[in-house]
Amino acid sequence: RRRRRRRCRRCRRRRIDSGASAMSLSQSEIRKEGWISKESAVLRQFRKRWLVLTPDRLYSFKKERVYSDPTEDVDLRQCGTVKSADDITNRPFSFTVQVPERNFFFIAESDNDRNEWVAAIGRATTESRRVRSYSEEVEYQEQQALIAKRKAAQARQQQEETETETRSGGARYS
């Protein structure tokens, strides 16, 4: 697998892209998906995105049914409110998903479409906060530990690659 060096969209720092996404999104996890307009974080322009709802996350992608490299990844366990936002955005069929670090604004294609998204995200938010049985909690904690272990391994690998580049970088130009 070939690695490409790219710059992060937000902070412009270098990142390594292995060509495959580290996130895993199973078709069976998807609760709702479809085209929606999402307000960008920096320029505040609405852009067409493929929105995907899972039981505990909300993802947006640039392409339909291509579940790699999400433009946004919202943890619904942190979600405070999901509601209509026509009065805030001055645009019809808009709604907001509020999390502690940011308010996300979306525009649906119709009033019915907006109501379906708000209801589905609201249900996912409620389910992600529900009290789990002991066995569910054990399974959840094991999954979280595996995810943390994978992230730590990726971080170590990236650190090693950065150190290797730094060490070999000077010799290349001499």
Side-chain angles (χ1 to χ4, degrees):
R1 206 180 287 169
R2 228 175 102 195
R3 296 184 186 272
R4 296 185 322 226
R5 285 186 189 90
R6 291 176 42 189
R7 294 199 180 268
C8 175
R9 277 181 249 140
R10 290 194 182 124
C11 62
R12 307 304 299 162
R13 285 191 319 230
R14 269 192 166 163
R15 69 179 182 173
I16 304 230
D17 183 10
S18 63
S21 174
M23 69 171 263
S24 62
L25 184 59
S26 167
Q27 286 287 109
S28 62
E29 286 183 307
I30 296 173
R31 297 281 174 90
K32 183 169 176 57
E33 60 185 338
W35 286 110
I36 206 121
S37 294
K38 183 188 78 62
E39 186 183 52
S40 65
V42 179
L43 299 177
R44 299 291 199 216
Q45 296 174 337
F46 281 90
R47 297 186 177 133
K48 192 173 179 181
R49 294 290 183 247
W50 185 253
L51 201 63
V52 176
L53 175 66
T54 66
D56 57 350
R57 301 196 91 71
L58 185 64
Y59 299 100
S60 68
F61 301 95
K62 289 185 177 181
K63 296 180 181 176
E64 182 176 347
R65 290 179 171 61
V66 178
Y67 307 116
S68 61
D69 196 23
T71 59
E72 295 293 348
D73 178 353
V74 182
D75 184 358
L76 294 177
R77 290 170 297 187
Q78 304 296 317
C79 181
T81 309
V82 182
K83 63 181 181 178
S84 173
D86 293 356
D87 55 337
I88 299 169
T89 62
N90 292 322
R91 294 172 186 249
F93 318 129
S94 63
F95 63 98
T96 182
V97 175
Q98 298 174 345
V99 292
E101 61 271 359
R102 183 173 160 203
N103 290 343
F104 292 92
F105 291 98
F106 302 96
I107 300 176
E109 308 242 333
S110 67
D111 189 45
N112 187 42
D113 196 26
R114 173 190 48 201
N115 293 340
E116 286 177 8
W117 276 107
V118 169
I121 295 168
R123 279 192 303 273
T125 300
T126 305
E127 287 174 16
S128 67
R129 289 187 189 149
R130 78 173 175 80
V131 177
R132 298 179 186 94
S133 69
Y134 179 75
S135 59
E136 287 175 321
E137 184 62 29
V138 168
E139 183 180 343
Y140 175 77
Q141 293 298 333
E142 288 171 352
Q143 289 173 348
Q144 293 302 309
L146 281 172
I147 291 168
K149 195 181 286 188
R150 285 186 202 131
K151 284 183 180 179
Q154 286 175 346
R156 277 194 308 273
Q157 183 181 5
Q158 249 183 344
Q159 181 68 29
E160 290 170 3
E161 289 171 356
T162 303
E163 289 172 1
T164 304
E165 281 180 14
T166 305
R167 278 187 252 130
S168 64
R172 188 172 35 185
Y173 298 107
S174 35

